[in-house]
Amino acid sequence: MTIIGGGSAGLVLAVAGAKLGKKTALVEKHRIGGDCLWTGCVPSKALLKAAKVANSIRNAAKYGIAISDATPDWRRVMKYVRGTQHAIEEEHDNPERFRDMGVDVIFGDGHFESSDIFVVADTESGETRTLKSKKFVISTGSRPIAPPIPGLEACDYLDSETVWDLEVFPERLLVVGAGPIGVELGQAFHRLGADVTIAQRSKRILTKEDADVSEQMLRYLREEGVTIRLNTSIERVTQNQEGIDVKFNDSENGTVEQTFDNILIAAGRAPNVEGLALDKIGVQIGSRGIEVNNRLQTSVKNIYAAGDVIGHYLFTHVAAFQAQLLLRNIFFPLSNTINYAVVPWTTFCDPEVARCGLTEAEARERYGDVDVFTLDQSDVDRAVAEGETHGFSKVITSRWTGKILGVHLVGANAGEVVHEYVLAMQQGIPLRKLSGMIHVYPTFSSSVWRVAGKWFSESTLIQTLRKLFP
């Protein structure tokens, strides 16, 4: 088996292939670890932690602690960020670790000569390697793309890959896009001392989240001091000696001009398919990426694809999930189909935003009437004790059985708390049964017990029974 791309999906498959005693080659253009380690999950979460520490110090007085100075040092912050990357690389993503397992790790650019031959220009040996395999997996990931803003290409703008090379901290930063990346990095830079503006074309931020979540996070970010411009287009950007002049146009203020030190683009991604010569061998590529069936098989039956390159849920954990399915389909006789019915994700802003399943609007469109249970974070004793009362839990269920259709959490540790709901959804456990599980007190996850308890007082079934048997 030959795996093209050393990100999450590729590494899971490489380890599995080696442990099963299969001859396995892993081809990577740059560095093992992929986007997650070098430009995505790891550096952004390290930066967010540094920003949260700075914010906590700045607000230490509410805990009765007096601190005179909380000035972040950008170079030292980035030293911390890079230290986390290299620690993970050394422990988990070191090429020699995979070679010791028996994986043939090859660095270099490559392309398909035929459906069973992949040619690589090996940058370590300087040789051209010809890899002949019965099975190929393409897991080359994705990259950030910039919207067509006049003048942008002439500016030295940042994106989620190049921002980690930033040497001078910007006093004035424009973030284009209010999805997870834009919100996370925008809040982080604000907490580290930048004057941050986030520009969004649509009428709300975090558009893939439930409307209540978007509304609350918009309020929290604005209260914190982040400027967010909704329904806003950027007509032109111009680089000059003072910075970058930006001409905005929005429904509230009309045309407005403002100057920034840097622009950070966080407005979409594209699959990495260039240079692989996929058209030459008949692999179909759609608008989102490589087209695959529900077994993650491309239009060429011995070639599979997984991760960002296929455009389904651009998350590291989903790529690993897809790789586990491919492991069964490639190495074992009975094939399996992918099931995206229960896919959780988290935006690691502060407070965190976690989701699994349908939004309320989606649930009502699909099922009609549903039950909605909410709990304010201020009703969670651990949140009160830690001064982390921003947020809420919102759980959508079917009216009569309490089947969980969607979960939306805003609050401290939401990305950890959501997994109890994920397990319940995966195993078909109705909401009411979660109230029968003993939860440690006081914890953030006790919110699950509190929400589940609401089923016995607020659900359609219980309300109906009360009317029938007063």
Side-chain angles (χ1 to χ4, degrees):
M1 174 178 66
T2 296
I3 304 158
I4 306 162
S8 177
L11 295 181
V12 169
L13 283 164
V15 170
K19 289 185 176 180
L20 289 169
K22 303 295 184 180
K23 189 176 181 180
T24 304
L26 175 64
V27 180
E28 168 55 42
K29 184 184 293 187
H30 300 301
R31 297 176 289 188
I32 296 293
D35 169 72
C36 182
L37 175 58
W38 297 111
T39 62
C41 319
V42 173
S44 64
K45 296 337 164 248
L47 185 71
L48 286 165
K49 177 62 177 181
K52 186 169 185 177
V53 169
N55 190 64
S56 296
I57 293 172
R58 200 174 293 120
N59 293 284
K62 81 173 185 178
Y63 299 101
I65 300 170
I67 297 176
S68 60
D69 184 36
T71 304
D73 183 324
W74 176 246
R75 291 185 181 277
R76 295 178 69 181
V77 167
M78 287 308 301
K79 183 179 179 181
Y80 167 73
V81 170
R82 294 185 182 110
T84 64
Q85 292 174 299
H86 291 300
I88 292 173
E89 178 195 25
E90 193 62 32
E91 184 68 24
H92 300 294
D93 295 342
N94 189 323
E96 297 310 315
R97 172 173 175 262
F98 294 94
R99 285 170 173 153
D100 289 343
M101 292 181 189
V103 179
D104 185 8
V105 179
I106 306 165
F107 289 97
D109 257 329
H111 64 275
F112 282 95
E113 283 290 336
S114 65
S115 61
D116 62 349
I117 294 177
F118 192 77
V119 178
V120 187
D122 189 329
T123 56
E124 290 183 313
S125 68
E127 299 175 351
T128 298
R129 298 277 305 272
T130 299
L131 306 174
K132 186 176 177 64
S133 292
K134 291 182 179 179
K135 304 286 186 182
F136 288 90
V137 178
I138 303 169
S139 56
T140 47
S142 65
R143 65 187 184 279
I145 54 174
I149 299 173
L152 183 63
E153 291 301 324
C155 296
D156 189 19
Y157 67 87
L158 304 168
D159 58 32
S160 59
E161 291 185 352
T162 60
V163 68
W164 310 110
D165 299 322
L166 187 64
E167 294 186 1
V168 179
F169 188 79
E171 293 184 10
R172 303 163 297 177
L173 177 67
L174 170 65
V175 179
V176 179
I181 295 174
V183 166
E184 286 183 3
L185 293 181
Q187 185 183 44
F189 273 93
H190 165 72
R191 288 183 165 188
L192 290 170
D195 183 1
V196 173
T197 296
I198 300 177
Q200 173 77 341
R201 290 184 62 89
S202 63
K203 62 182 180 181
R204 63 188 182 99
I205 66 172
L206 299 173
T207 56
K208 292 186 178 180
E209 304 297 336
D210 187 88
D212 288 341
V213 171
S214 298
E215 183 179 342
Q216 280 282 66
M217 284 309 305
L218 176 65
R219 181 168 66 83
Y220 292 152
L221 290 169
R222 281 178 167 168
E223 286 176 352
E224 193 171 305
V226 179
T227 299
I228 300 178
R229 305 175 64 98
L230 301 177
N231 294 311
T232 297
S233 61
I234 299 175
E235 295 188 353
R236 185 192 69 247
V237 298
T238 306
Q239 182 96 46
N240 57 49
Q241 292 183 342
E242 301 299 321
I244 302 173
D245 289 337
V246 180
K247 185 177 181 181
F248 297 105
N249 193 301
D250 67 61
S251 56
E252 290 186 12
N253 304 302
T255 300
V256 177
E257 293 198 23
Q258 195 172 348
T259 302
F260 298 90
D261 299 307
N262 288 100
I263 297 177
L264 172 60
I265 301 296
R269 301 184 68 83
N272 293 324
V273 294
E274 294 79 7
L276 297 174
L278 298 179
D279 55 341
K280 179 179 179 180
I281 59 172
V283 172
Q284 297 295 315
I285 302 172
S287 58
R288 294 193 299 180
I290 295 175
E291 294 184 349
V292 294
N293 61 20
N294 58 11
R295 290 174 171 79
L296 302 181
Q297 190 176 42
T298 72
S299 49
V300 178
K301 66 179 183 179
N302 69 310
I303 299 177
Y304 300 79
D308 285 12
V309 76
I310 67 175
H312 295 285
Y313 298 105
L314 308 187
F315 303 115
T316 296
H317 52 282
V318 173
F321 173 67
Q322 292 166 343
Q324 290 172 338
L325 177 111
L326 281 180
L327 171 64
R328 296 190 291 270
N329 288 354
I330 291 174
F331 294 122
F332 298 99
L334 298 177
S335 63
N336 293 266
T337 58
I338 196 81
N339 183 354
Y340 295 114
V342 182
V343 178
W345 66 78
T346 299
T347 300
F348 294 91
C349 46
D350 184 20
E352 291 180 356
V353 172
R355 170 184 173 176
C356 188
L358 304 175
T359 65
E360 182 179 349
E362 291 168 344
R364 292 190 184 282
E365 182 178 355
R366 185 177 302 184
Y367 295 100
D369 289 335
V370 294
D371 283 343
V372 179
F373 304 94
T374 61
L375 178 75
D376 196 88
Q377 194 78 343
S378 62
D379 291 326
V380 180
D381 290 355
R382 180 61 180 273
V384 174
E386 294 198 8
E388 301 276 6
T389 54
H390 275 353
F392 62 92
S393 300
K394 178 177 181 179
V395 179
I396 302 127
T397 74
S398 59
R399 292 187 70 197
W400 304 106
T401 65
K403 176 184 177 182
I404 303 174
L405 306 175
V407 176
H408 306 275
L409 309 179
V410 177
N413 301 304
E416 311 297 332
V417 174
V418 74
H419 289 98
E420 186 175 338
Y421 289 113
V422 174
L423 179 61
M425 295 174 72
Q426 186 79 44
Q427 300 301 317
I429 300 170
L431 179 65
R432 68 180 184 277
K433 287 194 174 182
L434 297 182
S435 68
M437 173 181 159
I438 299 175
H439 289 73
V440 173
Y441 178 90
T443 58
F444 286 99
S445 61
S446 65
S447 63
V448 179
W449 179 76
R450 295 287 305 275
V451 173
K454 284 175 171 279
W455 187 90
F456 292 96
S457 60
E458 300 178 8
S459 68
T460 298
L461 177 61
I462 298 300
Q463 296 284 3
T464 303
L465 290 174
R466 284 177 176 170
K467 291 178 181 177
L468 292 175
F469 306 100

